[in-house]
Amino acid sequence: MFLEIYNSFRMEMNSGTILGYFLQAVPITIVVGILYAVCRLVFLKQRNGNIAWMSETMRLLFVCYLTGLCSLVILPIGFWLDIFDGIFFGWWEEMVPLFKLGEINLMPIIVKCLSGEYSLGSWVKEMIIGNVLMFIPFGFFLPFVTEKLNSKNVFAMAAAVPIIVELFQLILGRSFDIDDLICNFLGIIIGFFIAVGIKAIRRTTSK
């Protein structure tokens, strides 16, 4: 039964599309989300404190988002598909090495566009979908899960996170890309200030 279900999704998972990569990350995201929810609930029960359900829901969603994000942008492309193939078909020998030095690109795309090497239109579409929009939820969740960030120190955090991500990508066979750093930074900042604006509106409305 499980093999049939997996086969029905495997073709899309292996399509190389955004939906395919998303489907690869869904199972591990669900597992991590359930484990976190159970552990967090036990922890809160032991403290005998009142549970702020809205805050805890945001924390859970943030954990699920981070799991999916790491699966999509840090781990080697197709990593979870290889894991699933190993579990269901025993194809462990076909797994790509987990650790492999990737490429480094320190030349901004605008330089390549000016030289005619790259089309600005295709780059904008790729970067907005893959690197800006993907990191907006990261910044959006932050004001709801921590009070330590503000409009001043969030810029340092928004710069540090993409650098850490790119370094992991480099040692896991992907690439360290200067354009990814810029776009990830923008995504986090945009998401953060959207959340700050929403919280400010809620405070004003409640008064």
Side-chain angles (χ1 to χ4, degrees):
M1 176 182 176
F2 289 108
L3 184 59
E4 293 177 358
I5 295 175
Y6 174 64
N7 268 324
S8 65
F9 284 99
R10 188 183 185 281
M11 183 176 294
E12 185 61 44
M13 288 183 180
N14 198 33
S15 64
T17 62
I18 294 176
L19 176 60
Y21 294 132
F22 174 79
L23 290 176
Q24 290 184 41
V26 167
I28 187 62
T29 300
I30 293 175
V31 170
V32 171
I34 292 174
L35 290 175
Y36 170 81
V38 172
C39 293
R40 182 68 177 173
L41 185 60
V42 170
F43 171 76
L44 293 174
K45 289 292 186 181
Q46 290 178 342
R47 295 183 59 184
N48 296 319
N50 294 326
I51 299 177
W53 289 107
M54 180 61 71
S55 176
E56 294 303 325
T57 299
M58 294 300 286
R59 290 175 181 271
L60 173 61
L61 292 175
F62 188 49
V63 168
C64 291
Y65 163 77
L66 286 179
T67 304
L69 183 69
C70 290
S71 297
L72 292 172
V73 305
I74 294 181
L75 292 175
I77 296 175
F79 174 82
W80 288 115
L81 182 62
D82 288 343
I83 294 293
F84 300 147
D85 284 346
I87 293 173
F88 289 104
F89 301 134
W91 297 348
W92 297 108
E93 68 280 357
E94 296 189 12
M95 283 195 65
V96 297
L98 180 59
F99 295 101
K100 183 177 65 174
L101 192 62
E103 299 177 350
I104 299 177
N105 174 35
L106 298 179
M107 182 181 295
I109 194 66
I110 188 65
V111 177
K112 295 182 180 180
C113 291
L114 292 175
S115 66
E117 182 181 345
Y118 210 101
S119 166
L120 184 59
S122 62
W123 175 82
V124 168
K125 181 180 178 181
E126 177 183 331
M127 289 296 107
I128 289 179
I129 294 177
N131 293 287
V132 177
L133 291 181
M134 193 178 295
F135 275 79
I136 286 179
F138 191 104
F140 179 82
F141 280 117
L142 289 175
F144 295 101
V145 300
T146 180
E147 298 293 335
K148 296 181 179 180
L149 285 175
N150 52 50
S151 57
K152 294 181 179 180
N153 58 24
V154 69
F155 289 94
M157 187 281 305
V161 169
I163 291 175
I164 294 172
V165 169
E166 292 299 309
L167 289 175
F168 270 109
Q169 286 186 339
L170 182 62
I171 64 175
L172 293 177
R174 301 185 71 163
S175 64
F176 186 103
D177 195 297
I178 188 66
D179 293 305
D180 289 352
L181 288 177
I182 297 171
C183 291
N184 295 165
F185 172 85
L186 291 175
I188 294 173
I189 294 300
I190 291 171
F192 177 82
F193 282 103
I194 289 175
V196 168
I198 291 175
K199 293 185 71 174
I201 292 173
R202 288 177 58 189
R203 284 194 300 267
T204 303
T205 304
S206 62
K207 293 179 181 179

